[in-house]
Amino acid sequence: MKKLIFLITLNALFLITDSFSFGQNRTIDSLLTLLTADKPDTNKVNHLNNLCREYGNIRKIDTALRTGNEALALAQKLNFKKGIASSYQEMGTAYLYQTNYNKALENWHEALKIVEELKNKRAMPFLLGNIGFVYNNQGNYPKALDYHLKALKVAEEIGNKRGIASILSNIGEAYFNQADYRKSLDYFFKSLKIAEKIGNQYNLSTALCNIGEVYLIQKNYPKACDYYLKGLKAAQELGDKNIIAIAFSMLGGVFDEQKDYSKALDYYFKALNMAEKGGDKNIIANTQSFIGSLYLKIGKFKESEQYLKSAIAMDDSIGASDGLRQTEKSLSELYDTIGRYKEALIFYKKSIALKDSIYSQENKKQLIRKEMNFEFDKKEAATKAEHDKEMAVAEAEKKKQQIVIWSVIGGLFLVIVFAGFVYRSLRITRKQKSIIELQKNEVDKQKEIVEKQKEKIVESITYSQRIQQSILMEESEVQNYLPECFIYFQPKDIVSGDFYWCSKTDDKIIIAAVDCTGHGVPGAFMSMIGNTLLNQIVNEKHITKPSEILHYLNLGVYEALHQKKDGALSDDGMDIALCTIDYKNNEIQYAGQNPLYILSDGKIEVIKGDIYSIGGGGMIAKIHDPLKKVFANHVIPIKKGMSIYLSTDGYMDQFGGSDRKKY
């Protein structure tokens, strides 16, 4: 289904700030009255800019732009920089209402230059966020994320909660458009939490609909529908036609995906009617594309071509690259279906060219790189602030010590005058004090060295966490094989000795939950070894029987850690629960050390594993020869409604409650 998500972030962002709102929000009539009495000064510039905004709000765009240009000319003549920035900002907004992205960007960039020069942080989130929004609609996701992160940084500095909620939603959108649904959902829920806390309907409706869209992509239709209906209710309370149109379109998408085309078409036409009233070309183009795609599915080819061509023309006119790509793909499918193969090939090539441009691997790398740079900059800023604070304290301490020293010198002078023997005693005291100070300084230096070493170690481990997480399959990827599965993964430390693994080979699905010896870094090293060996055994050697997989995994650990030789340095290993799901033969095979839990007909059955683990040098190797270890292979028939659960012992070994008992 074509993505709708990016449409709904705009309206919320427009209202996050009233920056450069010079004077009160007056009606058009009262502003016109004020202008008749205004002299050609800064007040007139402010009134003209406010009037430009009001005309834009009622979509009298030509009048708004004429008023904005008049304000700009006067502000430039007066060298009134705030007024110049305000004029560019209001005209950029008017152009965006017109869906003229290039002109909107041109004006907002001009406004941003002046705002940054004036160091007006209150205005920056609005401009940075809306520039990022336009880049997103043009399909330039790395650039969009760059501006959203800049906007977030400033909004957090000034405590603009409404701005933070909108920007978090925009960042989530950038990840959504690159199919990173886990990160997008994380940012959307952060936005929702703030919106609920501050009671902002725009941010609330935006976050709810965005969350619904992620669940729709993941084919979780009940959750998607639930969030869409909540988003629609919030949008209707708000009275914003564009957001209502989007909510209708998204609800149509739920029924479209479930092949209830009658209900889907009803919601799509409700959305189109509302979008045409709201006047946003982007929403209109998307809704037309949905209708055209649905008509293709039900065989109404003439109507399908009409709506798809209309959507392409509008997407092309406003420069909406991703929307254009998806609609061109749908039109190619239509022409292929009705036998117009030459035209089908033309639009297919256009769609592929846009897809390669928008969803390149380099774009994904840039998204990760920009977020990491943002986090690093935040950390560096916090470190600098802490350093400045320490320097200030040190400077105050230095002045205090200087006062003490001069007082001591004055006292010594008086003592010398009146008593020589007291002078000698004080000299001894001063020497002892100096020794103590030197010792204290040395201790402080050692403490500082240890703290810095600790920081570097934590930084390295935190970065290692990114590497470890990158080898773990996304939950959404696992759900491609097992749609109703879930994964609960909560490491005790920054990096984890437990990990999960999944693969599909020879029409069989292999899943595993693995518990490596040790916590934190040692356990994480073992998890990397285990993950690599499982990939080799299953994906390269195509071994799918659980007991055989464990046999080769056991040998692999012994080889990797050189545990066969006498005096081996490592006796590390792992406990595992591994299943092969074979739908063809309607059975599940299990082997391992951790038990397998089966829920069927309201009863729980526990299949216990083997007593010996994977790997283990020293005495373990002598008692259980790795070449002779035989792992039990259990075969369980698949029944309708049956559920299976795999876990490591870390799940049930948690202590809690008033009695501090294991879970």
Side-chain angles (χ1 to χ4, degrees):
M1 181 186 177
K2 186 176 178 184
K3 295 173 188 173
L4 232 195
I5 196 165
F6 64 87
L7 298 168
I8 63 176
T9 56
L10 173 64
N11 293 310
L13 189 54
F14 276 162
L15 298 176
I16 68 172
T17 177
D18 56 354
S19 57
F20 286 96
S21 178
F22 308 103
Q24 299 298 313
N25 184 22
R26 304 175 177 85
T27 64
I28 290 174
D29 288 340
S30 63
L31 285 168
L32 290 170
T33 302
L34 286 169
L35 284 167
T36 58
D38 275 339
K39 296 177 182 179
D41 56 14
T42 57
N43 282 331
K44 185 170 184 177
V45 174
N46 296 336
H47 294 153
L48 284 168
N49 282 327
N50 289 337
L51 189 61
C52 174
R53 184 188 307 115
E54 295 295 330
Y55 280 131
N57 288 339
I58 61 173
R59 301 306 189 267
K60 288 189 176 182
I61 305 303
D62 291 338
T63 309
L65 292 173
R66 187 171 61 252
T67 307
N69 276 308
E70 185 182 348
L72 178 62
L74 179 57
Q76 288 173 333
K77 185 178 179 181
L78 298 170
N79 195 27
F80 178 32
K81 290 189 176 181
K82 283 188 177 180
I84 295 170
S86 180
S87 300
Y88 280 128
Q89 177 179 302
E90 301 303 344
M91 287 194 291
T93 303
Y95 278 121
L96 191 66
Y97 286 141
Q98 213 177 38
T99 330
N100 188 336
Y101 290 150
N102 290 334
K103 279 288 186 182
L105 280 177
E106 181 184 319
N107 280 271
W108 281 336
H109 276 300
E110 289 295 331
L112 185 61
K113 286 179 192 174
I114 300 170
V115 165
E116 288 175 337
E117 180 187 340
L118 297 174
K119 297 181 180 178
N120 188 338
K121 289 190 175 181
R122 191 181 174 197
M124 287 182 192
F126 175 93
L127 292 165
L128 290 165
N130 277 13
I131 290 170
F133 165 79
V134 173
Y135 282 130
N136 188 82
N137 277 12
Q138 291 178 332
N140 192 339
Y141 303 128
K143 211 164 188 178
L145 182 63
D146 188 31
Y147 277 92
H148 290 325
L149 289 173
K150 288 177 182 177
L152 180 62
K153 182 180 179 182
V154 180
E156 286 177 339
E157 286 175 1
I158 62 176
N160 187 339
K161 297 289 186 184
R162 296 171 71 188
I164 293 168
S166 291
I167 297 161
L168 287 171
S169 192
N170 286 340
I171 294 172
E173 172 200 345
Y175 281 113
F176 179 93
N177 287 326
Q178 290 287 304
D180 192 340
Y181 303 125
R182 186 177 69 174
K183 275 198 172 182
S184 67
L185 207 57
D186 181 42
Y187 278 104
F188 291 148
F189 273 115
K190 286 179 181 177
S191 177
L192 178 63
K193 186 177 180 181
I194 295 173
E196 288 174 336
K197 189 174 182 179
I198 63 177
N200 183 269
Q201 290 294 101
Y202 280 92
N203 295 130
L204 186 65
S205 57
T206 297
L208 289 167
C209 289
N210 283 345
I211 292 166
E213 184 71 357
V214 179
Y215 284 128
L216 177 57
I217 288 290
Q218 295 177 337
K219 301 188 184 302
N220 190 335
Y221 303 124
K223 272 193 174 182
C225 198
D226 180 45
Y227 278 96
Y228 286 154
L229 288 170
K230 289 177 182 177
L232 176 62
K233 182 182 177 183
Q236 287 172 332
E237 289 174 2
L238 194 62
D240 189 289
K241 294 182 178 65
N242 289 327
I243 301 182
I244 294 171
I246 291 164
F248 277 137
S249 281
M250 290 175 162
L251 282 165
V254 175
F255 292 108
D256 195 340
E257 287 283 300
Q258 297 180 92
K259 296 183 173 53
D260 190 342
Y261 298 130
S262 176
K263 276 189 179 180
L265 206 57
D266 180 47
Y267 274 112
Y268 285 155
F269 276 114
K270 283 181 181 179
L272 185 59
N273 178 50
M274 194 63 70
E276 287 171 343
K277 289 178 182 178
D280 191 304
K281 292 180 182 178
N282 218 334
I283 305 174
I284 295 169
N286 275 275
T287 310
Q288 288 175 336
S289 181
F290 297 148
I291 294 170
S293 297
L294 192 150
Y295 275 137
L296 169 60
K297 294 173 186 176
I298 61 177
K300 291 190 175 183
F301 303 130
K302 185 178 178 181
E303 292 88 343
S304 175
E305 183 179 22
Q306 174 191 340
Y307 279 97
L308 290 175
K309 278 190 169 182
S310 179
I312 285 173
M314 193 164 290
D315 277 332
D316 192 38
S317 70
I318 63 178
S321 301
D322 200 31
L324 184 62
R325 172 191 69 80
Q326 294 175 79
T327 309
E328 285 177 341
K329 183 175 181 290
S330 297
L331 190 59
S332 170
E333 291 170 359
L334 167 65
Y335 286 144
D336 184 64
T337 302
I338 61 178
R340 291 162 64 176
Y341 302 118
K342 186 176 179 180
E343 291 167 285
L345 182 59
I346 290 170
F347 282 99
Y348 177 76
K349 285 181 176 179
K350 286 183 177 181
S351 173
I352 291 299
L354 279 171
K355 181 180 179 181
D356 290 343
S357 170
I358 295 169
Y359 296 101
S360 67
Q361 190 64 27
E362 182 58 31
N363 273 2
K364 291 184 178 180
K365 288 179 181 177
Q366 285 189 48
L367 287 178
I368 296 169
R369 195 179 302 125
K370 288 181 186 298
E371 186 183 21
M372 288 178 69
N373 287 341
F374 174 70
E375 293 296 333
F376 178 77
D377 289 343
K378 278 179 68 176
K379 183 177 179 181
E380 190 174 43
T383 303
K384 185 177 182 304
E386 185 64 27
H387 176 70
D388 291 344
K389 182 180 177 182
E390 289 174 358
M391 290 297 291
V393 171
E395 186 63 28
E397 186 65 27
K398 183 179 177 182
K399 288 181 179 179
K400 182 179 177 182
Q401 287 178 351
Q402 287 177 341
I403 292 170
V404 171
I405 290 169
W406 284 110
S407 299
V408 171
I409 291 172
L412 286 174
F413 177 76
L414 291 174
V415 170
I416 289 169
V417 172
F418 292 104
F421 72 93
V422 176
Y423 169 73
R424 181 175 176 275
S425 177
L426 285 174
R427 281 185 64 193
I428 295 170
T429 302
R430 285 179 65 190
K431 284 181 181 179
Q432 291 174 341
K433 184 178 179 181
S434 297
I435 292 168
I436 293 169
E437 287 292 329
L438 286 171
Q439 291 173 340
K440 182 177 180 295
N441 289 340
E442 187 62 30
V443 170
D444 289 342
K445 285 179 183 178
Q446 292 298 324
K447 183 181 177 182
E448 185 180 351
I449 291 168
V450 171
E451 288 293 332
K452 286 181 179 178
Q453 289 173 340
K454 180 184 175 184
E455 286 178 12
K456 288 180 180 178
I457 292 168
V458 172
E459 285 175 2
S460 297
I461 296 173
T462 303
Y463 193 83
S464 300
Q465 180 191 39
R466 293 178 182 270
I467 297 171
Q468 187 185 37
Q469 286 180 342
S470 69
I471 69 167
L472 295 178
M473 188 178 286
E474 297 280 356
E475 185 172 355
S476 59
E477 293 180 68
V478 180
Q479 287 171 344
N480 288 334
Y481 306 143
L482 301 166
E484 296 184 15
C485 80
F486 74 92
I487 298 169
Y488 179 76
F489 180 63
Q490 187 65 50
K492 175 180 176 290
D493 299 309
I494 298 173
V495 290
S496 174
D498 290 10
F499 72 98
Y500 59 90
W501 184 88
C502 178
S503 182
K504 184 177 182 182
T505 183
D506 300 334
D507 294 326
K508 297 175 182 177
I509 301 163
I510 298 90
I511 56 173
V514 191
D515 178 4
C516 301
T517 55
H519 296 288
V521 175
F525 274 115
M526 285 299 299
S527 75
M528 301 291 280
I529 293 171
N531 188 283
T532 303
L533 289 172
L534 285 170
N535 284 327
Q536 291 173 351
I537 295 164
V538 176
N539 297 330
E540 295 178 17
K541 297 180 180 178
H542 296 281
I543 296 170
T544 59
K545 186 176 180 180
S547 59
E548 291 182 10
I549 294 172
L550 264 58
H551 173 72
Y552 286 104
L553 179 62
N554 184 49
L555 293 180
V557 171
Y558 272 89
E559 289 289 343
L561 300 179
H562 304 290
Q563 292 178 337
K564 290 182 180 180
K565 65 182 183 180
D566 292 334
L569 295 176
S570 168
D571 60 355
D572 296 296
M574 57 190 72
D575 289 337
I576 186 170
L578 186 142
C579 285
T580 296
I581 301 172
D582 186 350
Y583 286 117
K584 184 177 179 181
N585 295 313
N586 203 37
E587 67 180 23
I588 297 171
Q589 295 187 39
Y590 154 78
Q593 294 75 47
N594 291 326
L596 173 68
Y597 301 92
I598 302 172
L599 177 62
S600 180
D601 299 327
K603 296 179 180 178
I604 295 176
E605 179 184 357
V606 181
I607 299 180
K608 294 183 179 180
D610 295 303
I611 59 171
Y612 37 78
S613 301
I614 301 296
M619 289 299 297
I620 296 174
K622 290 179 180 179
I623 296 170
H624 300 290
D625 185 346
L627 293 173
K628 296 179 181 179
K629 273 187 184 178
V630 178
F631 297 94
N633 199 74
H634 303 267
V635 180
I636 305 104
I638 295 176
K639 296 180 183 179
K640 186 176 180 181
M642 184 174 83
S643 300
I644 65 169
Y645 298 86
L646 290 76
S647 75
T648 64
D649 60 8
Y651 183 74
M652 61 283 292
D653 278 354
Q654 302 304 309
F655 288 87
S658 58
D659 296 331
R660 299 296 296 164
K661 291 183 177 180
K662 286 187 180 182
Y663 178 73

